[in-house]
Amino acid sequence: MTMTDREPQALDVLDDAGRKVLFTEARTANTFAEVAVADDELAMIWELARWSPSAANGQPLRVLFVRTREGKERLVRHLDEGNRAKTLSAPAVAILAYDVDFHEQMPTVFPARGDMLRAAFADQIDARESLAAYNSALQTGVFLLAVRAAGLAAGPMAGFDKAGVDGEFFSGTSWRSQLVVNIGHPGADPCFPRLPRVPVEHAVAWA
């Protein structure tokens, strides 16, 4: 039997309940219930999120989970004022970052060409910065889906002083902050009214 004679691999299709959890009924949470998020729940989120695609399997996304009151108070001083109260009330917060030295892991994550890729990127800090920012953004989308898949709600926020957060938490490292995500069970009136989606005819083209 040749490759062309083989039956195509049948992939599973997400059922309607799964689509609702991850997509159609999932919402950004702005308030959170006073229910703790356990370490194993946060570990589950990462276990799912780390399978995200990334260029050359470079995986530049890094996560700092902030759980203590002290840690949140260190964080909120760098957030926009409108984001502070909900971050303090969230049971857990993830600071999503990218590692500009992601190339150091290439021999591990891409064994066939890892040494070559690590050497090629060694002196290309601007290229690494661009690739890390783009690919960690791709991974961030999967991270938010992983939060939902773990039975929790996410509240992503870009309103913060990145340089301040980097100095507070990542000083002396190669990590650079990308997004802050509040995590927990939804509280009272957690979501704003659902806003419209872009009409299909303005968003999808066919060739």
Side-chain angles (χ1 to χ4, degrees), residues 14-24:
L14 192 66
D15 63 18
D16 188 56
R19 294 175 199 172
K20 289 179 179 179
V21 167
L22 296 182
F23 298 104
T24 59

Side-chain angles (χ1 to χ4, degrees), residues 55 60 98-102 121 124-138 176 178:
Y98 58 84
D99 187 353
V100 295
D101 287 346
F102 70 92
F121 280 121
Q124 297 190 43
I125 181 63
D126 290 341
R128 297 204 314 267
E129 178 92 26
S130 177
L131 282 169
Y134 175 83
N135 282 284
S136 66
L138 175 66
R176 305 290 183 268
Q178 177 95 313

Side-chain angles (χ1 to χ4, degrees), residues 53 59 104 132-134 165 192 200:
Q59 304 172 53
E104 296 291 352
Y134 175 83
V165 169
F192 299 130
V200 172

Side-chain angles (χ1 to χ4, degrees), residues 78 160-169 177:
H78 305 290
F160 64 96
D161 176 5
K162 291 187 176 183
V165 169
D166 290 350
E168 186 75 42
F169 293 97
S177 56

Side-chain angles (χ1 to χ4, degrees), residues 91-199:
V93 185
I95 303 176
L96 303 189
Y98 58 84
D99 187 353
V100 295
D101 287 346
F102 70 92
H103 67 300
E104 296 291 352
Q105 297 295 325
M106 294 310 298
T108 297
V109 299
F110 200 156
R113 293 194 291 166
D115 290 330
M116 180 271 289
L117 289 168
R118 180 171 62 182
F121 280 121
D123 297 321
Q124 297 190 43
I125 181 63
D126 290 341
R128 297 204 314 267
E129 178 92 26
S130 177
L131 282 169
Y134 175 83
N135 282 284
S136 66
L138 175 66
Q139 291 184 275
T140 290
V142 177
F143 182 93
L144 297 178
L145 293 178
V147 173
R148 296 169 177 178
L152 298 164
M157 304 180 303
F160 64 96
D161 176 5
K162 291 187 176 183
V165 169
D166 290 350
E168 186 75 42
F169 293 97
F170 304 139
S171 179
T173 78
S174 54
W175 293 19
R176 305 290 183 268
S177 56
Q178 177 95 313
L179 193 70
V180 173
V181 183
N182 295 327
I183 299 172
H185 295 277
D189 297 320
C191 306
F192 299 130
R194 172 75 85 180
L195 294 173
R197 306 293 98 178
V198 175

Side-chain angles (χ1 to χ4, degrees), residues 26-123:
R27 304 296 306 279
T28 293
N30 292 285
T31 67
F32 295 91
E34 294 183 6
V35 178
V37 173
D39 287 357
D40 60 354
E41 292 179 288
L42 298 177
M44 181 195 306
I45 293 169
W46 179 248
E47 179 57 35
L48 295 172
R50 71 191 188 101
W51 299 103
S52 167
S54 56
N57 202 36
Q59 304 172 53
L61 183 67
R62 305 290 183 263
V63 183
L64 172 65
F65 287 115
V66 182
R67 300 163 302 162
T68 66
R69 180 74 183 189
E70 178 187 9
K72 292 174 195 174
E73 288 175 349
R74 289 173 58 200
L75 174 59
V76 297
R77 68 184 66 156
H78 305 290
L79 302 184
D80 291 356
E81 186 172 354
N83 292 331
R84 294 174 184 172
K86 54 188 174 183
T87 295
L88 286 172
S89 70
V93 185
I95 303 176
L96 303 189
Y98 58 84
D99 187 353
V100 295
D101 287 346
F102 70 92
H103 67 300
E104 296 291 352
Q105 297 295 325
M106 294 310 298
T108 297
V109 299
F110 200 156
R113 293 194 291 166
D115 290 330
M116 180 271 289
L117 289 168
R118 180 171 62 182
F121 280 121
D123 297 321

